[in-house]
Amino acid sequence: MAKLGVNIDHVATIRQARGGIEPDPVAAAAIAELAGADGITIHLREDRRHIQDRDLKLLRQTVKTKLNLEMAATDEMVGIALSVKPDMVTLVPEKRQELTTEGGLDVRINMQGLAEVVERLQDGGIIVSLFIDSDPDQVKASSKVGADYIEIHTGSFAEATEWKRMVTELERIENVVKLGSKLGLGINAGHGLNYTNIKKVAAIGGIEEFNIGHAIVSRAVLMGLDRAVRDMVDLIKYA
Ligand code: PXP
């Protein structure tokens, strides 16, 4: 059975909306683990819009499953990763203006630079994954630069509104899973996966872990709202 890595970035997004201390992603990670998550994923962005350096450091101490750090392949981030030592680093492209990670890494365009980053991280004992589109050439390039894992960007599948397009995207994912396995890469997948579309991708064998964030945090807000309102009503009523 494939594993679930829970991305808790959006818990930090809510905290940053007020610049305060709650909700704390460290507490969210503990709850996710108690509920059965196999790993915790966070993205420390250059602009620190959600996850902060403090979160990464505390999560390194508290996460008991596996800590996966998504980050850009920059000197600053490599330095942070080598000092904090998450279990896994997933290298992602990063643009300042984007709302979320928009596409996969173009591994082919910067093979030497990426190979160096992969090696530095691996020398520090960190497993390295590359977030790529479901493109066979990117899979081959990921293998060539020495990555341990690829994470297949499932955004194009998740955004497909027509049945035919969705089937095509699923086939592309299936093909790169086969190719990646043949090349000895571990395979994860994520982005845009939700309670409706997960079944189709999970039915493809060979994917080790799904990284899911937005859908889980969105559901948590709605499922938890009833209880949160009742608790406040009681406090007012019995004051
Ligand atoms: N995997 C990667 C590499 C990501 O950048 C993200 C978004 O931060 C996710 C998975 C999770 O995507 P979503 O929040 O859409 O579930």
Side-chain angles (χ1 to χ4, degrees), residues 61-76:
Q61 292 170 41
T62 57
V63 165
K64 295 175 188 67
T65 52
K66 186 186 87 184
L67 182 62
N68 174 27
L69 173 64
E70 293 175 10
M71 59 176 226
T74 61
D75 271 348
E76 183 204 7

Side-chain angles (χ1 to χ4, degrees), residues 38-108:
D38 299 290
I40 299 298
T41 296
I42 51 171
H43 185 174
L44 185 68
R45 295 186 72 102
E46 186 194 14
D47 62 12
R48 307 298 197 272
R49 69 173 70 157
H50 38 54
I51 293 293
Q52 305 297 306
D53 298 64
R54 165 264 185 207
D55 302 328
L56 170 62
K57 284 182 195 141
L58 286 177
L59 285 165
R60 173 61 300 177
Q61 292 170 41
T62 57
V63 165
K64 295 175 188 67
T65 52
K66 186 186 87 184
L67 182 62
N68 174 27
L69 173 64
E70 293 175 10
M71 59 176 226
T74 61
D75 271 348
E76 183 204 7
M77 288 300 158
V78 171
I80 291 172
L82 287 173
S83 87
V84 178
K85 302 259 169 109
D87 301 290
M88 175 182 268
V89 158
T90 300
L91 295 173
V92 299
E94 204 175 290
K95 295 189 213 120
R96 260 188 184 255
Q97 303 307 324
E98 69 191 355
L99 289 177
T100 180
T101 317
E102 278 170 357
L105 268 181
D106 192 345
V107 185
R108 295 171 67 198

Side-chain angles (χ1 to χ4, degrees), residues 5 7 9-10 41-43 45 50 68 70 90-93 100-102 131 151-154 189-194 210-216:
N7 180 314
D9 290 349
H10 288 327
T41 296
I42 51 171
H43 185 174
R45 295 186 72 102
H50 38 54
N68 174 27
E70 293 175 10
T90 300
L91 295 173
V92 299
T100 180
T101 317
E102 278 170 357
F131 185 53
E151 178 174 333
I152 303 168
H153 191 319
T154 48
H191 212 283
L193 297 176
N194 60 36
F210 293 104
N211 280 312
I212 306 181
H214 190 84
I216 292 176

Side-chain angles (χ1 to χ4, degrees), residues 179-217:
L179 176 61
S181 307
K182 216 167 96 187
L183 295 172
L185 292 161
I187 296 163
N188 297 331
H191 212 283
L193 297 176
N194 60 36
Y195 293 83
T196 309
N197 62 25
I198 184 64
K199 284 188 205 155
K200 288 196 177 62
V201 204
I204 299 175
I207 297 177
E208 189 174 311
E209 185 168 282
F210 293 104
N211 280 312
I212 306 181
H214 190 84
I216 292 176
V217 176

